[in-house]
Amino acid sequence: AQSVTQLDSQVPVFEEAPVELRCNYSSSVSVYLFWYVQYPNQGLQLLLKYLSGSTLVKGINGFEAEFNKSQTSFHLRKPSVHISDTAEYFCAVSDVVGSNDYKLSFGAGTTVTVRA
Amino acid sequence: NAGVMQNPRHLVRRRGQEARLRCSPMKGHSHVYWYRQLPEEGLKFMVYLQKENIIDESGMPKERFSAEFPKEGPSILRIQQVVRGDSAAYFCASSPAVRGDTQYFGPGTRLTVL
């Protein structure tokens, strides 16, 4: 079974500063990788995803993530955050091999709080 | 195009009662997934359904939990005889016909069992 570890449960950051959210997964097979964001009282919204190809993936709202196969990581970054980026962020993984690619495994989430 | 709708958003039940959670997928989506998030944990897959079919229920507890996605109407996650350990956020997601595509999530139903 997949396991996904988000190394930081809480990340406070000042406005216009950079932020990095770390995500590591355990899998011996090829994977699809996702980052979702959840704003208060809303559903999870897809920020970006890696399916294949370039290991640097750009998403919405200025976010990007880099897939590192040797380190089994998929860290999320933004060079300059806004107050509106305050939210909870989830990393998710699914196996490519077999027919279970719909089954997402999620990390526990990282709460980002942006302060002025 | 409206997003995935879930209702109710908050549900309070006493131990032993039944809980019914509803999910309306995005228009044109025929694949529905249910996930559960226990406190301080990530979302965990429960079940995958297509219209009138349960495709994968490997994440569902063996007893008291059931799910359906009828030909007409929303998908329903039903929990019978709820216990305190069922208190969690339950999220529904949907995707278009192509399997493995992006899943679009609803806002979740927060179930509290007293």
Side-chain angles (χ1 to χ4, degrees):
Chain A
Q2 290 278 7
S3 76
V4 181
T5 303
Q6 291 184 241
L7 294 157
D8 307 293
S9 59
Q10 308 262 355
V11 174
V13 58
F14 286 106
E15 194 174 17
E16 297 183 9
V19 71
E20 179 180 79
L21 307 184
R22 295 177 292 170
C23 173
N24 287 89
Y25 64 92
S26 67
S27 176
S28 58
V29 299
S30 296
V31 294
Y32 295 143
L33 296 152
F34 306 83
W35 274 100
Y36 283 87
V37 60
Q38 185 179 27
Y39 300 106
N41 298 315
Q42 296 186 28
L44 279 71
Q45 178 183 356
L46 183 70
L47 273 178
L48 48 77
K49 62 184 178 184
Y50 171 81
L51 303 181
S52 65
S54 173
T55 56
L56 182 62
V57 181
K58 294 194 182 296
I60 61 171
N61 301 341
F63 284 92
E64 64 180 32
E66 185 150 23
F67 169 49
N68 188 319
K69 187 174 181 179
S70 63
Q71 297 188 2
T72 59
S73 68
F74 191 54
H75 300 333
L76 181 71
R77 302 184 185 96
K78 185 169 181 177
S80 176
V81 296
H82 301 130
I83 298 286
S84 59
D85 292 320
T86 294
E88 188 155 21
Y89 293 79
F90 293 95
C91 179
V93 175
S94 68
D95 284 341
V96 174
V97 176
S99 57
N100 290 344
D101 56 354
Y102 53 82
K103 196 179 292 186
L104 297 176
S105 297
F106 283 83
T110 298
T111 301
V112 173
T113 304
V114 181
R115 299 168 180 164
Chain B
N1 190 5
V4 177
M5 311 283 283
Q6 289 188 251
N7 65 81
R9 296 290 306 277
H10 300 275
L11 182 62
V12 179
R13 286 287 178 266
R14 296 190 181 280
R15 281 177 295 171
Q17 292 184 319
E18 179 179 287
R20 280 185 179 237
L21 288 62
R22 286 176 289 279
C23 168
S24 296
M26 287 179 71
K27 188 176 180 181
H29 287 194
S30 58
H31 301 244
V32 166
Y33 316 84
W34 285 93
Y35 291 82
R36 177 167 68 172
Q37 184 182 28
L38 295 169
E40 308 301 321
E41 294 186 18
L43 282 73
K44 298 281 195 299
F45 170 83
M46 299 180 75
V47 62
Y48 162 36
L49 310 105
Q50 295 179 20
K51 288 280 187 182
E52 301 183 281
N53 283 304
I54 298 173
I55 308 301
D56 181 352
E57 58 182 346
S58 59
M60 290 274 273
K62 299 292 182 216
E63 298 176 348
R64 303 186 297 107
F65 284 71
S66 62
E68 62 177 9
F69 188 17
K71 188 176 180 181
E72 301 291 338
S75 175
I76 306 285
L77 179 67
R78 182 182 177 203
I79 312 172
Q80 295 178 293
Q81 300 176 329
V82 296
V83 301
R84 288 226 173 102
D86 297 332
S87 294
Y90 292 83
F91 290 91
C92 168
S94 71
S95 68
V98 178
R99 244 179 61 185
D101 206 339
T102 299
Q103 294 181 20
Y104 296 84
F105 282 80
T109 293
R110 276 151 182 82
L111 172 66
T112 302
V113 179
L114 302 177

